[in-house]
Amino acid sequence: MAEVAEVSTGAQGNESSVGLGGYQQELKRTLGSFQVFAISFAFISVAVGIFATYDEVLLSAGPVGIWLWIIAAVGQTLVALVVAQFAARIPLSGSSYQWASRLANPKIGWGFGWLTFCYLAIAVVAIDNALASQAFMPLAGIEPDEGTARLITLVVLLVQTLLAVASTRLVSMINAAAVGLELTLVVVVAIALVIAVAITGNGAAGNLTSRGVAENAPDYFAVGGGLMLAMIMGLATLVGFDSAANLAEEAKDPYRTVPRAIVGSVVAAGLLGMLFLITLTVAIDDIPRISADGSPVAAIMRDHLGPAMERTLLVAITFAFFGAGIVVMVACSRLVFAMSRDSRFPAYRLMRRVNPRTHTPIPATILIFVLGVILMVALPGAALLELITASTILPAVIYGSTIVLYLTVRGRLDRRKGAFDLGRFELPVAICALVWTLVALFVLVAPREALVSVMIVVGLLLVGGLFFLAMLKFDRQALETEPGDVSAFEAR
């Protein structure tokens, strides 16, 4: 049994986690408990996820496919509980990169870091491109056009970069406002739709068990078939909850606030998302017409609440997209910073620099912007879409690997008084979470259309492998030594 150690909730206790890691406190601790929660919740962005994927559910599985959201929510909550166990014990920027480096070895940690970097760097572009094409352009009355969407994406990336380098506190304020607006909107819309359906009678509870346009699909229950495809809505949306751990060095009392944010954001998103999905589905008055609409959520609101409410939704969704994008950018920059200060990232001498005035890693943040520009300018539409699709596989790989790591090292973890701890439930929860991630990974790679995405993931791993081999040859020491006390976060 690990020895119990006190956790100070004051400034000295907050700084000590960074000192134990062998670092100086360069990032400024400005994030309170709600701001930390908002970071994870904004990455998940339940309204954005449903807005972007509800049409695929209607087409592949029909309205009844929404119930798979519950399975995904329960499964991802189990994963979040395991991730929170790590976050409560090693609150350092870099999340799983730090956990694996210190509890397994730096080489394994580097692999975690590379996978997470690839996922976050692609996710920034995916979110901002969706903001442009699915929210802002319809809101502004701009006709669909890929070139225009890419230009708007670049502008959004630039604005997010400027805000991210200016102040973490400013980012957290914007993000908290976006989350507050999203929470309010989803609840208000759900209530308004229930009232509208009750008054007009346009809608039906029977929609909740209807296969809709997928009624006669021959492969509905097959592996990779329509029903399985509907699971992707939950799997693509309920991710990124660990982003709060990437900003642990900027959180006040990270031993408590970060784990609670990780678990709380998934639970809140799961419940809120199910409420939203049920009310949307009941409010459908013509399933074939709504299923054929490119933006069924907006169409349902337009039918019941009028064009003004539809535009209000688009404004809120645009803001939510923006908040999610900037959170991903900040989380990715912190991961780059964390790997660079350990000399394990390309151009690490530059990427580990923190501006003494803003207390933000400016070069690391600019790198994310530059990568976004390259993806927007260099990749044709089909290739960009495949890359974005491939990024949905990476979280399942990362979470599954994190759970395996936890099961391997959990006996060595320190137990700190007042920190998040599952106690005797940790082993069954971790085993169930691992089974779930294997199921999720199978769901993501089983469809025939996923082959290209799987090959892209393999390609990203090979690119990382080449840099890893270069480090082994020219800077092996960086992969064999760990800063600070290597046993500082282990049981004594």
Side-chain angles (χ1 to χ4, degrees):
M1 184 69 180
E3 179 182 343
V4 174
E6 292 283 348
V7 174
S8 169
T9 58
Q12 185 176 359
N14 290 334
E15 305 294 337
S16 67
S17 63
V18 179
L20 289 173
Y23 309 117
Q24 292 183 343
Q25 182 71 44
E26 297 181 87
L27 305 174
K28 192 173 182 180
R29 292 195 183 274
T30 58
L31 305 177
S33 57
F34 180 75
Q35 286 83 6
V36 177
F37 165 81
I39 287 167
S40 286
F41 189 87
F43 195 127
I44 296 173
S45 197
V46 62
V48 167
I50 292 174
F51 184 86
T53 59
Y54 189 57
D55 58 336
E56 292 296 332
V57 173
L58 294 179
L59 291 172
S60 63
V64 71
I66 67 168
W67 296 109
L68 292 173
W69 176 275
I70 296 177
I71 299 175
V74 172
Q76 295 300 85
T77 299
L78 291 172
V79 175
L81 288 168
V82 178
V83 172
Q85 291 281 99
F86 272 133
R89 290 161 176 77
I90 308 180
L92 296 172
S93 295
S95 60
S96 59
Y97 156 73
Q98 290 281 8
W99 307 334
S101 294
R102 295 178 181 279
L103 296 171
N105 65 66
K107 297 182 182 68
I108 294 176
W110 187 91
F112 275 77
W114 178 254
L115 282 173
T116 307
F117 166 72
C118 290
Y119 167 56
L120 294 176
I122 297 170
V124 175
V125 176
I127 292 170
D128 288 349
N129 190 242
L131 182 160
S133 60
Q134 298 181 30
F136 182 80
M137 290 174 66
L139 176 64
I142 302 173
E143 291 297 318
D145 178 75
E146 184 181 334
T148 303
R150 290 186 181 228
L151 181 60
I152 295 172
T153 301
L154 293 175
V155 173
V156 173
L157 280 168
L158 178 60
V159 173
Q160 289 171 335
T161 303
L162 294 175
L163 291 171
V165 301
S167 167
T168 302
R169 183 174 180 80
L170 177 60
V171 169
S172 70
M173 291 172 62
I174 294 171
N175 187 51
V179 167
L181 178 61
E182 182 176 358
L183 288 168
T184 303
L185 177 77
V186 170
V187 173
V188 169
V189 167
I191 294 173
L193 285 176
V194 169
I195 294 173
V197 170
I199 292 174
T200 65
N202 295 328
N207 292 343
L208 297 173
T209 57
S210 171
R211 293 193 200 176
V213 297
E215 178 67 38
N216 299 314
D219 59 347
Y220 188 80
F221 292 103
V223 173
L227 189 62
M228 182 180 286
L229 289 174
M231 179 77 79
I232 294 177
M233 176 170 65
L235 294 178
T237 302
L238 299 172
V239 294
F241 42 81
D242 53 319
S243 56
N246 261 327
L247 277 76
E249 293 178 30
E250 293 157 89
K252 300 173 183 177
D253 193 12
Y255 290 100
R256 293 186 178 90
T257 59
V258 173
R260 290 172 181 172
I262 290 170
V263 178
S265 61
V266 181
V267 173
L271 294 173
L272 200 65
M274 197 68 247
L275 170 67
F276 196 33
L277 285 169
I278 290 172
T279 53
L280 283 173
T281 303
V282 169
I284 298 175
D285 61 352
D286 185 339
I287 292 177
R289 177 178 63 85
I290 294 297
S291 299
D293 194 290
S295 181
V297 176
I300 292 168
M301 291 188 61
R302 182 171 61 248
D303 288 348
H304 288 278
L305 306 176
M309 195 63 186
E310 178 193 7
R311 291 185 65 82
T312 302
L313 168 70
L314 289 174
V315 169
I317 290 293
T318 300
F319 196 23
F321 265 121
F322 186 85
I326 198 170
V327 161
V328 180
M329 175 178 283
V330 170
C332 192
S333 69
R334 280 10 176 217
L335 175 65
V336 171
F337 161 74
M339 295 181 70
S340 296
R341 67 181 173 185
D342 293 337
S343 305
R344 297 171 190 161
F345 196 85
Y348 63 85
R349 290 184 178 86
L350 175 64
M351 295 300 154
R352 67 188 178 192
R353 293 180 184 174
V354 174
N355 185 280
R357 185 175 63 85
T358 64
H359 297 282
T360 56
I362 293 179
T365 307
I366 293 175
L367 171 67
I368 314 305
F369 169 72
V370 171
L371 290 174
V373 171
I374 292 173
L375 292 177
M376 280 289 99
V377 173
L379 288 183
L384 180 63
L385 180 60
E386 293 290 356
L387 182 64
I388 290 172
T389 304
S391 70
T392 62
I393 299 173
L394 288 171
V397 176
I398 295 166
Y399 292 146
S401 301
T402 302
I403 295 166
V404 171
L405 174 68
Y406 182 78
L407 287 169
T408 304
V409 305
R410 67 185 185 87
R412 293 160 40 202
L413 287 173
D414 192 10
R415 311 285 172 171
R416 294 176 176 266
K417 185 176 180 180
F420 183 88
D421 193 346
L422 290 175
R424 66 178 182 275
F425 296 106
E426 64 170 336
L427 184 58
V429 166
I431 292 174
C432 291
L434 179 59
V435 172
W436 162 249
T437 56
L438 293 175
V439 171
L441 192 58
F442 176 75
V443 169
L444 291 168
V445 303
R448 291 186 297 273
E449 299 83 356
L451 178 61
V452 175
S453 298
V454 172
M455 296 306 296
I456 290 175
V457 171
V458 172
L460 292 172
L461 292 175
L462 290 175
V463 171
L466 291 175
F467 178 73
F468 182 80
L469 291 175
M471 288 190 66
L472 284 178
K473 182 174 178 61
F474 300 108
D475 195 9
R476 177 180 291 269
Q477 186 178 4
L479 290 172
E480 294 182 343
T481 58
E482 194 69 27
D485 182 358
V486 294
S487 63
F489 302 102
E490 298 184 12
R492 295 177 177 84

